[in-house]
Coordinates of all heavy atoms in Angstrom, one line a residue:
M12 N 135.9 107.2 106.7 CA 135.3 107.5 105.4 C 134.5 106.3 104.9 O 133.5 106.5 104.3 CB 136.5 107.8 104.3 CG 136.0 108.4 103.0 SD 135.2 109.9 103.3 CE 135.0 110.5 101.7
L13 N 135.0 105.1 105.1 CA 134.3 103.9 104.8 C 132.9 103.8 105.6 O 131.9 103.4 105.1 CB 135.0 102.7 105.0 CG 134.6 101.4 104.5 CD1 134.4 101.5 102.9 CD2 135.5 100.2 104.8
F14 N 132.9 104.3 106.8 CA 131.7 104.4 107.7 C 130.6 105.2 106.9 O 129.4 104.8 106.9 CB 132.0 105.0 109.0 CG 130.7 105.1 109.9 CD1 130.1 104.0 110.4 CD2 130.1 106.4 109.9 CE1 128.9 104.2 111.2 CE2 128.9 106.5 110.8 CZ 128.4 105.4 111.3
I15 N 131.0 106.3 106.4 CA 129.9 107.2 105.6 C 129.4 106.4 104.4 O 128.1 106.5 104.2 CB 130.6 108.5 105.2 CG1 131.1 109.3 106.3 CG2 129.7 109.3 104.3 CD1 131.9 110.5 106.1
A16 N 130.1 105.7 103.7 CA 129.7 104.9 102.6 C 128.7 103.8 103.1 O 127.6 103.6 102.5 CB 130.7 104.3 101.7
Y17 N 129.1 103.1 104.1 CA 128.1 102.1 104.6 C 126.9 102.6 105.2 O 125.8 102.1 105.1 CB 128.9 101.2 105.6 CG 129.8 100.2 105.1 CD1 131.1 100.0 105.6 CD2 129.4 99.4 104.0 CE1 132.0 99.0 105.0 CE2 130.3 98.4 103.4 CZ 131.5 98.3 104.0 OH 132.4 97.4 103.4
A18 N 127.0 103.8 105.9 CA 125.8 104.5 106.5 C 124.8 104.9 105.3 O 123.6 104.7 105.5 CB 126.2 105.6 107.3
L19 N 125.4 105.4 104.2 CA 124.6 105.8 103.2 C 123.9 104.6 102.5 O 122.7 104.7 102.1 CB 125.4 106.6 102.1 CG 124.6 107.1 100.9 CD1 123.6 108.2 101.3 CD2 125.6 107.8 99.9
L20 N 124.7 103.5 102.3 CA 124.1 102.3 101.8 C 123.0 101.8 102.7 O 121.9 101.4 102.2 CB 125.2 101.2 101.7 CG 124.7 99.9 101.1 CD1 124.3 100.0 99.6 CD2 125.9 98.9 101.2
L21 N 123.1 101.8 104.0 CA 122.2 101.4 104.9 C 120.9 102.1 104.8 O 119.8 101.6 104.8 CB 122.7 101.3 106.4 CG 121.7 100.8 107.4 CD1 121.4 99.4 107.2 CD2 122.4 101.0 108.8
V22 N 121.0 103.5 104.8 CA 119.8 104.4 104.7 C 119.2 104.1 103.4 O 117.9 104.0 103.4 CB 120.3 105.8 104.8 CG1 119.1 106.8 104.4 CG2 120.8 106.1 106.2
C23 N 119.8 103.9 102.3 CA 119.1 103.6 101.0 C 118.4 102.3 101.0 O 117.3 102.2 100.6 CB 120.2 103.6 99.8 SG 120.8 105.3 99.5
W24 N 119.1 101.3 101.7 CA 118.5 99.9 101.7 C 117.2 99.9 102.6 O 116.3 99.3 102.3 CB 119.6 99.0 102.2 CG 119.2 97.6 102.3 CD1 119.0 96.7 101.4 CD2 118.9 97.0 103.7 NE1 118.7 95.5 101.9 CE2 118.6 95.6 103.3 CE3 119.0 97.4 104.9 CZ2 118.3 94.7 104.2 CZ3 118.7 96.4 105.9 CH2 118.3 95.1 105.5
L25 N 117.3 100.7 103.8 CA 116.1 100.7 104.6 C 115.0 101.5 103.9 O 113.8 101.1 104.1 CB 116.5 101.3 106.0 CG 117.4 100.4 106.9 CD1 117.8 101.2 108.1 CD2 116.6 99.1 107.3
T26 N 115.3 102.5 103.3 CA 114.3 103.3 102.5 C 113.6 102.4 101.5 O 112.4 102.4 101.3 CB 114.9 104.5 101.9 OG1 115.6 105.4 102.9 CG2 113.9 105.4 101.2
A27 N 114.5 101.7 100.7 CA 113.9 100.8 99.7 C 113.0 99.7 100.3 O 111.9 99.4 99.8 CB 115.0 100.2 98.8
S28 N 113.4 99.2 101.4 CA 112.5 98.1 102.1 C 111.3 98.7 102.6 O 110.2 98.1 102.5 CB 113.4 97.6 103.3 OG 114.5 96.9 102.9
L29 N 111.3 99.9 103.1 CA 110.1 100.6 103.6 C 109.2 101.0 102.4 O 107.9 100.7 102.4 CB 110.4 101.8 104.4 CG 109.2 102.6 104.9 CD1 108.5 101.8 105.9 CD2 109.7 104.0 105.5
W30 N 109.8 101.3 101.4 CA 109.0 101.7 100.1 C 108.4 100.5 99.5 O 107.2 100.5 99.1 CB 110.0 102.3 99.1 CG 109.3 102.9 97.9 CD1 108.1 103.0 97.5 CD2 110.1 103.6 96.9 NE1 108.0 103.6 96.3 CE2 109.1 104.0 95.9 CE3 111.5 103.8 96.6 CZ2 109.5 104.6 94.7 CZ3 111.8 104.5 95.4 CH2 110.8 104.9 94.5
M31 N 109.0 99.3 99.5 CA 108.5 98.2 99.0 C 107.3 97.7 99.9 O 106.2 97.3 99.4 CB 109.5 97.0 99.1 CG 108.9 95.7 98.6 SD 110.2 94.5 98.7 CE 109.3 93.0 98.2
A32 N 107.4 97.8 101.3 CA 106.3 97.4 102.2 C 105.1 98.3 102.0 O 104.0 97.8 101.9 CB 106.8 97.5 103.5
V33 N 105.3 99.6 101.7 CA 104.2 100.5 101.6 C 103.5 100.2 100.2 O 102.3 100.2 100.1 CB 104.7 102.0 101.5 CG1 103.6 103.0 101.1 CG2 105.1 102.3 103.0
A34 N 104.3 99.9 99.2 CA 103.7 99.6 97.9 C 102.9 98.3 98.0 O 101.8 98.2 97.4 CB 104.8 99.4 96.8
I35 N 103.4 97.4 98.7 CA 102.6 96.0 98.8 C 101.4 96.3 99.6 O 100.3 95.8 99.3 CB 103.5 95.0 99.5 CG1 104.6 94.6 98.5 CG2 102.6 93.8 99.9 CD1 105.6 93.7 99.1
L36 N 101.4 97.1 100.7 CA 100.2 97.4 101.5 C 99.2 98.2 100.7 O 98.0 98.0 100.9 CB 100.6 98.1 102.8 CG 101.2 97.3 103.9 CD1 101.7 98.2 105.0 CD2 100.2 96.2 104.4
R37 N 99.6 99.0 99.8 CA 98.7 99.8 99.0 C 98.0 98.9 97.9 O 97.0 99.4 97.3 CB 99.4 101.0 98.4 CG 99.8 102.1 99.4 CD 100.4 103.3 98.8 NE 99.6 103.8 97.8 CZ 100.0 104.6 96.8 NH1 101.3 104.7 96.6 NH2 99.1 105.2 95.9
G38 N 98.6 97.8 97.6 CA 98.0 96.9 96.6 C 98.4 97.2 95.3 O 97.7 96.8 94.3
T39 N 99.5 98.0 95.0 CA 100.0 98.3 93.7 C 100.9 97.3 93.2 O 101.5 97.6 92.1 CB 100.6 99.7 93.8 OG1 101.6 99.7 94.6 CG2 99.6 100.8 94.1
T40 N 101.1 96.2 93.8 CA 102.0 95.2 93.2 C 101.3 93.8 93.1 O 100.1 93.7 93.5 CB 103.2 94.9 94.2 OG1 102.7 94.3 95.5 CG2 103.9 96.2 94.5
S41 N 101.9 92.9 92.6 CA 101.3 91.5 92.4 C 101.4 90.7 93.7 O 100.9 89.6 93.8 CB 101.9 90.7 91.3 OG 101.7 91.4 90.1
F42 N 102.1 91.2 94.7 CA 102.3 90.5 96.0 C 101.0 90.6 96.8 O 100.3 91.6 96.8 CB 103.5 91.1 96.7 CG 104.8 90.9 96.2 CD1 105.6 91.9 95.7 CD2 105.3 89.6 96.2 CE1 106.8 91.8 95.2 CE2 106.6 89.4 95.7 CZ 107.3 90.5 95.2
P43 N 100.7 89.5 97.6 CA 99.6 89.6 98.6 C 100.2 90.4 99.7 O 101.3 90.7 99.9 CB 99.4 88.1 99.0 CG 100.7 87.4 98.6 CD 101.3 88.2 97.5
R44 N 99.2 91.0 100.5 CA 99.6 92.0 101.5 C 100.4 91.4 102.6 O 101.2 92.2 103.2 CB 98.3 92.7 102.1 CG 97.7 93.6 101.1 CD 96.6 94.5 101.6 NE 96.2 95.6 100.9 CZ 95.6 95.6 99.7 NH1 95.3 94.4 99.2 NH2 95.3 96.7 99.1
W45 N 100.3 90.2 102.9 CA 101.2 89.6 103.9 C 102.6 89.6 103.6 O 103.4 89.5 104.5 CB 100.7 88.2 104.3 CG 100.9 87.2 103.2 CD1 99.9 86.8 102.2 CD2 102.1 86.5 102.8 NE1 100.5 85.8 101.4 CE2 101.7 85.6 101.8 CE3 103.4 86.4 103.3 CZ2 102.8 84.8 101.2 CZ3 104.3 85.5 102.8 CH2 104.0 84.8 101.8
M46 N 102.9 89.8 102.3 CA 104.3 89.8 101.9 C 105.1 91.0 102.3 O 106.2 91.0 102.3 CB 104.3 89.7 100.3 CG 105.5 89.2 99.6 SD 106.2 87.7 100.3 CE 107.8 87.8 99.6
C47 N 104.3 92.1 102.7 CA 105.1 93.2 103.2 C 105.8 92.9 104.6 O 106.9 93.6 104.8 CB 104.0 94.4 103.5 SG 103.1 94.2 105.0
A48 N 105.5 91.9 105.2 CA 106.3 91.4 106.4 C 107.6 90.7 106.0 O 108.4 90.5 106.8 CB 105.5 90.5 107.3
A49 N 107.7 90.3 104.8 CA 108.8 89.6 104.3 C 109.7 90.5 103.4 O 110.4 90.1 102.5 CB 108.4 88.4 103.5
N50 N 109.9 91.8 103.7 CA 110.7 92.6 103.0 C 112.2 92.4 103.3 O 112.5 91.7 104.3 CB 110.3 94.2 103.2 CG 110.6 94.6 104.6 OD1 111.5 94.2 105.2 ND2 109.6 95.4 105.1
P51 N 113.1 92.9 102.6 CA 114.5 92.6 102.8 C 115.0 92.9 104.2 O 115.9 92.1 104.8 CB 115.2 93.5 101.8 CG 114.3 93.6 100.7 CD 112.9 93.8 101.3
A52 N 114.5 93.9 104.9 CA 115.0 94.3 106.2 C 114.6 93.1 107.2 O 115.5 92.8 108.0 CB 114.4 95.7 106.6
V53 N 113.3 92.7 107.1 CA 112.9 91.6 108.0 C 113.7 90.3 107.7 O 114.1 89.6 108.6 CB 111.4 91.4 107.9 CG1 111.0 90.2 108.6 CG2 110.7 92.7 108.3
C54 N 114.0 90.0 106.4 CA 114.7 88.8 106.0 C 116.1 88.8 106.6 O 116.6 87.8 107.0 CB 114.7 88.6 104.5 SG 113.0 88.1 103.9
V55 N 116.7 90.0 106.6 CA 118.1 90.1 107.2 C 118.0 89.8 108.7 O 118.9 89.1 109.2 CB 118.7 91.5 106.9 CG1 119.9 91.8 107.7 CG2 119.1 91.6 105.4
L56 N 117.0 90.3 109.3 CA 117.0 90.0 110.8 C 116.7 88.5 111.0 O 117.3 88.0 111.9 CB 115.8 90.8 111.4 CG 116.0 92.3 111.5 CD1 114.8 93.0 112.0 CD2 117.2 92.7 112.3
V57 N 115.9 87.9 110.2 CA 115.7 86.5 110.3 C 117.0 85.7 110.0 O 117.3 84.7 110.6 CB 114.5 86.0 109.4 CG1 114.4 84.5 109.3 CG2 113.2 86.6 109.9
G58 N 117.7 86.1 109.0 CA 118.9 85.5 108.6 C 120.0 85.6 109.7 O 120.7 84.6 110.0
Q59 N 120.0 86.7 110.4 CA 120.9 86.9 111.5 C 120.5 86.0 112.7 O 121.4 85.3 113.3 CB 120.9 88.3 112.0 CG 121.7 89.2 111.2 CD 121.6 90.7 111.7 OE1 120.8 91.0 112.5 NE2 122.4 91.6 111.1
L60 N 119.2 85.8 113.0 CA 118.8 84.9 114.0 C 119.0 83.4 113.7 O 119.5 82.7 114.5 CB 117.3 85.1 114.2 CG 116.8 86.4 114.9 CD1 115.4 86.5 115.0 CD2 117.5 86.6 116.3
L61 N 118.9 83.1 112.4 CA 119.2 81.7 112.0 C 120.8 81.5 112.1 O 121.1 80.4 112.6 CB 118.7 81.5 110.6 CG 117.3 81.3 110.3 CD1 117.0 81.2 108.8 CD2 116.7 80.1 111.0
A62 N 121.5 82.4 111.7 CA 123.0 82.2 111.7 C 123.5 82.2 113.2 O 124.4 81.3 113.5 CB 123.7 83.3 111.0
K63 N 122.9 82.9 114.0 CA 123.4 82.9 115.5 C 122.8 81.8 116.3 O 123.3 81.4 117.3 CB 123.1 84.3 116.1 CG 124.0 85.4 115.5 CD 123.7 86.7 116.2 CE 124.6 87.7 115.5 NZ 124.7 88.9 116.2
G64 N 121.7 81.2 115.8 CA 121.0 80.1 116.4 C 121.7 78.8 116.3 O 121.4 77.9 117.0
V65 N 122.6 78.7 115.3 CA 123.2 77.4 115.1 C 124.6 77.4 116.0 O 125.4 78.2 115.7 CB 123.6 77.1 113.6 CG1 124.3 75.8 113.4 CG2 122.2 77.1 112.9
P66 N 124.7 76.5 116.9 CA 125.9 76.6 117.8 C 127.1 75.8 117.2 O 126.9 75.1 116.3 CB 125.4 75.9 119.1 CG 124.4 74.8 118.5 CD 123.7 75.6 117.4
G67 N 128.2 76.1 117.8 CA 129.4 75.3 117.5 C 130.0 75.6 116.1 O 129.8 76.7 115.5
P68 N 130.9 74.7 115.6 CA 131.5 74.9 114.3 C 130.6 75.1 113.1 O 131.0 75.6 112.2 CB 132.3 73.6 114.1 CG 132.3 72.8 115.5 CD 131.2 73.4 116.3
A69 N 129.4 74.5 113.2 CA 128.4 74.7 112.0 C 127.9 76.1 111.9 O 127.6 76.5 110.9 CB 127.3 73.6 112.2
G70 N 127.9 76.8 113.0 CA 127.4 78.1 113.1 C 128.4 79.2 112.5 O 127.9 80.3 112.1
I71 N 129.6 78.9 112.6 CA 130.6 79.9 112.1 C 130.5 80.3 110.6 O 130.4 81.5 110.3 CB 132.1 79.4 112.5 CG1 132.2 79.5 114.0 CG2 133.1 80.3 111.9 CD1 133.5 78.8 114.5
P72 N 130.4 79.3 109.7 CA 130.2 79.7 108.4 C 128.8 80.4 108.1 O 128.7 81.2 107.2 CB 130.2 78.4 107.6 CG 130.8 77.3 108.5 CD 130.6 77.8 109.8
L73 N 127.8 79.9 108.8 CA 126.5 80.6 108.7 C 126.6 82.1 109.1 O 125.8 82.9 108.6 CB 125.4 79.9 109.5 CG 125.1 78.4 109.0 CD1 124.1 77.8 109.9 CD2 124.6 78.6 107.6
Q74 N 127.4 82.4 110.1 CA 127.5 83.8 110.6 C 128.1 84.6 109.4 O 127.7 85.8 109.2 CB 128.2 83.9 111.8 CG 127.4 83.4 113.0 CD 128.2 83.5 114.3 OE1 129.4 83.9 114.4 NE2 127.7 83.0 115.3
G75 N 129.0 84.1 108.7 CA 129.6 84.8 107.6 C 128.6 84.9 106.4 O 128.8 85.8 105.6
A76 N 127.7 84.0 106.3 CA 126.7 84.0 105.2 C 125.4 84.5 105.5 O 124.5 84.2 104.8 CB 126.7 82.5 104.7
Q77 N 125.2 85.3 106.7 CA 123.9 85.7 107.0 C 123.2 86.6 106.1 O 122.0 86.5 105.9 CB 123.9 86.3 108.4 CG 124.9 87.5 108.6 CD 124.9 87.9 110.1 OE1 124.2 87.3 110.9 NE2 125.8 88.8 110.3
L78 N 124.0 87.4 105.4 CA 123.3 88.3 104.3 C 122.9 87.4 103.1 O 121.8 87.7 102.5 CB 124.3 89.4 103.9 CG 123.7 90.4 102.9 CD1 122.6 91.1 103.5 CD2 124.8 91.4 102.5
S79 N 123.7 86.4 102.8 CA 123.3 85.5 101.8 C 122.1 84.7 102.1 O 121.2 84.4 101.3 CB 124.4 84.6 101.4 OG 125.5 85.4 100.9
L80 N 122.0 84.2 103.4 CA 120.8 83.5 103.8 C 119.6 84.4 103.7 O 118.5 84.0 103.4 CB 121.0 83.1 105.3 CG 122.0 82.0 105.6 CD1 122.2 81.8 107.1 CD2 121.4 80.7 105.0
A81 N 119.7 85.6 104.1 CA 118.6 86.7 104.1 C 118.1 86.8 102.6 O 117.0 86.8 102.3 CB 119.0 88.0 104.6
N82 N 119.1 87.0 101.7 CA 118.7 87.1 100.3 C 118.1 85.9 99.8 O 117.1 85.9 99.0 CB 119.9 87.5 99.4 CG 120.4 88.8 99.6 OD1 119.6 89.7 99.8 ND2 121.7 89.1 99.4
L83 N 118.6 84.6 100.1 CA 118.0 83.4 99.7 C 116.6 83.4 100.2 O 115.6 83.0 99.5 CB 118.8 82.2 100.3 CG 118.2 80.9 100.0 CD1 118.3 80.6 98.5 CD2 119.0 79.8 100.7
L84 N 116.3 83.7 101.5 CA 115.0 83.6 102.0 C 114.1 84.6 101.4 O 113.0 84.2 100.9 CB 115.0 84.0 103.5 CG 113.7 84.1 104.3 CD1 113.1 82.7 104.3 CD2 113.9 84.6 105.7
F85 N 114.5 85.8 101.1 CA 113.7 86.9 100.5 C 113.3 86.5 99.0 O 112.2 86.5 98.7 CB 114.4 88.2 100.5 CG 113.7 89.2 99.7 CD1 112.5 89.8 100.1 CD2 114.2 89.7 98.5 CE1 111.8 90.7 99.4 CE2 113.5 90.6 97.7 CZ 112.3 91.2 98.2
F86 N 114.3 86.0 98.2 CA 114.0 85.7 96.8 C 113.2 84.4 96.7 O 112.5 84.2 95.8 CB 115.4 85.7 96.0 CG 115.8 87.1 95.8 CD1 117.1 87.4 96.3 CD2 115.2 88.0 95.1 CE1 117.6 88.7 96.1 CE2 115.6 89.3 94.9 CZ 116.9 89.7 95.4
A87 N 113.4 83.5 97.6 CA 112.6 82.2 97.6 C 111.2 82.6 97.9 O 110.3 82.0 97.2 CB 113.2 81.2 98.6
L88 N 110.9 83.4 99.0 CA 109.6 83.8 99.2 C 108.9 84.6 98.1 O 107.8 84.3 97.7 CB 109.6 84.7 100.5 CG 109.6 83.9 101.8 CD1 109.8 84.9 102.9 CD2 108.3 83.1 102.0
T89 N 109.7 85.6 97.5 CA 109.1 86.3 96.4 C 108.7 85.4 95.1 O 107.7 85.5 94.5 CB 109.9 87.5 95.9 OG1 111.2 87.0 95.6 CG2 110.0 88.5 97.0
T90 N 109.6 84.5 94.9 CA 109.5 83.6 93.7 C 108.2 82.6 93.9 O 107.4 82.5 93.1 CB 110.8 82.7 93.5 OG1 111.8 83.6 93.2 CG2 110.6 81.7 92.3
A91 N 108.2 82.1 95.2 CA 107.1 81.2 95.4 C 105.8 82.0 95.4 O 104.7 81.5 95.0 CB 107.3 80.5 96.8
T92 N 105.7 83.1 96.0 CA 104.5 84.0 96.0 C 104.0 84.3 94.6 O 102.9 84.2 94.3 CB 104.8 85.2 96.9 OG1 105.2 84.8 98.2 CG2 103.5 86.0 97.1
L93 N 105.0 84.8 93.9 CA 104.5 85.3 92.5 C 104.2 84.2 91.6 O 103.3 84.2 90.8 CB 105.7 86.2 91.9 CG 105.8 87.5 92.6 CD1 107.0 88.3 92.0 CD2 104.6 88.3 92.6
W94 N 104.9 83.0 91.7 CA 104.6 81.9 90.9 C 103.2 81.3 91.3 O 102.5 81.0 90.4 CB 105.7 80.8 91.3 CG 105.7 79.6 90.3 CD1 104.6 79.0 89.7 CD2 106.7 79.0 89.8 NE1 105.0 78.0 88.9 CE2 106.3 77.9 89.0 CE3 108.1 79.1 90.0 CZ2 107.2 77.1 88.3 CZ3 108.9 78.2 89.3 CH2 108.5 77.2 88.5
N95 N 102.9 81.3 92.6 CA 101.6 80.8 93.0 C 100.5 81.8 92.6 O 99.4 81.4 92.3 CB 101.6 80.5 94.5 CG 102.4 79.3 94.8 OD1 102.6 78.4 93.9 ND2 102.9 79.2 96.0
A96 N 100.7 83.1 92.7 CA 99.8 84.1 92.3 C 99.5 83.9 90.8 O 98.3 84.0 90.4 CB 100.3 85.5 92.6
H97 N 100.4 83.7 90.0 CA 100.2 83.4 88.6 C 99.4 82.2 88.4 O 98.5 82.2 87.6 CB 101.6 83.4 87.9 CG 101.4 83.1 86.4 ND1 100.8 83.8 85.4 CD2 101.8 81.9 85.7 CE1 100.8 83.3 84.3 NE2 101.4 82.1 84.4
R98 N 99.6 81.1 89.1 CA 98.8 79.9 89.0 C 97.4 80.1 89.4 O 96.5 79.7 88.8 CB 99.5 78.8 89.7 CG 100.8 78.2 89.1 CD 101.2 77.1 89.8 NE 102.4 76.5 89.2 CZ 103.1 75.5 89.7 NH1 102.8 75.1 90.9 NH2 104.2 75.1 89.1
R99 N 97.2 80.8 90.5 CA 95.9 81.1 91.0 C 95.1 82.0 90.1 O 93.9 81.7 89.9 CB 96.0 81.8 92.4 CG 96.2 80.9 93.5 CD 95.9 81.6 94.9 NE 96.7 82.9 95.0 CZ 97.9 82.9 95.5 NH1 98.6 81.9 96.0 NH2 98.5 84.1 95.6
R100 N 95.7 83.0 89.5 CA 95.1 83.8 88.5 C 94.7 83.0 87.3 O 93.6 83.2 86.7 CB 96.0 85.0 88.1 CG 95.3 86.0 87.3 CD 96.0 87.3 87.2 NE 97.4 87.2 87.1 CZ 98.3 87.7 87.9 NH1 97.9 88.4 88.9 NH2 99.6 87.5 87.7
A101 N 95.6 82.1 86.8 CA 95.3 81.3 85.6 C 94.2 80.3 85.9 O 93.4 80.0 85.0 CB 96.5 80.5 85.2
A102 N 94.1 79.8 87.1 CA 93.1 78.8 87.4 C 91.7 79.4 87.6 O 90.7 78.7 87.4 CB 93.5 78.1 88.8
T103 N 91.6 80.7 88.0 CA 90.3 81.3 88.2 C 89.7 82.0 87.0 O 88.6 82.4 87.0 CB 90.4 82.4 89.3 OG1 91.3 83.4 89.0 CG2 90.8 81.7 90.7
T104 N 90.5 82.1 85.9 CA 90.0 82.8 84.7 C 89.4 81.7 83.8 O 90.0 80.6 83.7 CB 91.0 83.6 83.9 OG1 92.2 82.6 83.6 CG2 91.6 84.8 84.8
T105 N 88.4 82.0 83.1 CA 87.8 81.1 82.1 C 88.4 81.4 80.7 O 89.0 82.4 80.5 CB 86.3 81.2 82.1 OG1 86.0 82.6 81.7 CG2 85.6 80.9 83.3
P106 N 88.3 80.5 79.8 CA 89.0 80.7 78.5 C 88.6 82.0 77.8 O 89.4 82.7 77.1 CB 88.5 79.5 77.7 CG 88.2 78.4 78.6 CD 87.7 79.2 79.9
G107 N 87.4 82.5 78.0 CA 87.0 83.8 77.4 C 87.4 85.0 78.1 O 87.4 86.1 77.6
D108 N 87.7 84.8 79.3 CA 88.2 86.0 80.2 C 89.7 86.3 79.9 O 90.4 85.5 79.5 CB 88.0 85.7 81.7 CG 86.5 85.6 82.1 OD1 85.7 86.0 81.4 OD2 86.4 84.9 83.2
H109 N 90.0 87.5 80.2 CA 91.3 87.9 80.2 C 91.8 88.2 81.5 O 91.2 88.8 82.4 CB 91.5 89.2 79.3 CG 91.1 89.0 77.9 ND1 91.9 88.3 77.0 CD2 90.0 89.4 77.2 CE1 91.3 88.3 75.8 NE2 90.2 88.9 75.9
A110 N 93.0 87.6 81.8 CA 93.6 87.9 83.2 C 94.0 89.4 83.3 O 94.5 90.0 82.4 CB 94.8 87.0 83.4
P111 N 93.8 90.0 84.5 CA 94.1 91.3 84.7 C 95.7 91.5 84.5 O 96.4 90.6 84.8 CB 93.7 91.7 86.1 CG 93.6 90.4 86.8 CD 93.2 89.3 85.7
P112 N 96.1 92.6 83.9 CA 97.6 92.7 83.7 C 98.3 92.9 85.1 O 97.7 93.4 86.0 CB 97.7 94.1 83.0 CG 96.4 94.8 83.2 CD 95.4 93.7 83.5
C113 N 99.5 92.4 85.1 CA 100.3 92.6 86.3 C 100.9 94.0 86.4 O 101.2 94.6 85.4 CB 101.6 91.7 86.2 SG 101.2 89.9 86.3
R114 N 100.8 94.5 87.6 CA 101.2 95.9 87.8 C 102.6 96.0 88.3 O 103.1 95.3 88.9 CB 100.2 96.5 88.8 CG 98.9 96.8 88.2 CD 98.0 97.6 89.2 NE 97.0 96.6 89.6 CZ 96.1 96.8 90.6 NH1 96.3 97.9 91.3 NH2 95.3 96.0 90.8

């Protein structure tokens, strides 16, 4: 029974990751298009590779924290990207111009 719940969660999570990538590629978000490659599904794969790439006793805690590593990577990338996008937009507008609204 627990397998069904996890399978449903996985399907919803993968659907949301795909949905996010499509929205970014269509240009309906504030993210640059390259950010579609950094969706949560890709970040989890990178987190797994990082956790399994560290050998010995240091790698054991990282393997248990691979989902947290993936979330840290994803949210750090989104924060840095949106923060820099806001700064770029503010630097390119003149005082009389209005910045386009965030979608």
Side-chain angles (χ1 to χ4, degrees):
M12 191 65 169
L13 193 57
F14 175 76
I15 295 171
Y17 281 134
L19 182 63
L20 178 66
L21 181 64
V22 167
C23 291
W24 181 73
L25 288 173
T26 302
S28 293
L29 180 65
W30 191 357
M31 180 182 172
V33 169
I35 290 172
L36 282 174
R37 290 181 62 206
T39 58
T40 67
S41 295
F42 290 111
R44 285 188 167 72
W45 65 264
M46 199 55 197
C47 73
N50 66 39
V53 173
C54 288
V55 165
L56 293 175
V57 171
Q59 286 179 348
L60 291 175
L61 287 174
K63 291 184 180 187
V65 177
I71 293 172
L73 289 178
Q74 288 178 2
Q77 60 189 349
L78 186 58
S79 296
L80 287 173
N82 285 331
L83 177 67
L84 177 64
F85 174 70
F86 288 117
L88 279 172
T89 57
T90 300
T92 302
L93 293 177
W94 192 320
N95 289 334
H97 174 65
R98 286 183 177 178
R99 279 192 306 270
R100 190 170 35 240
T103 58
T104 57
T105 60
D108 291 341
H109 296 287
C113 293
R114 292 182 243 171

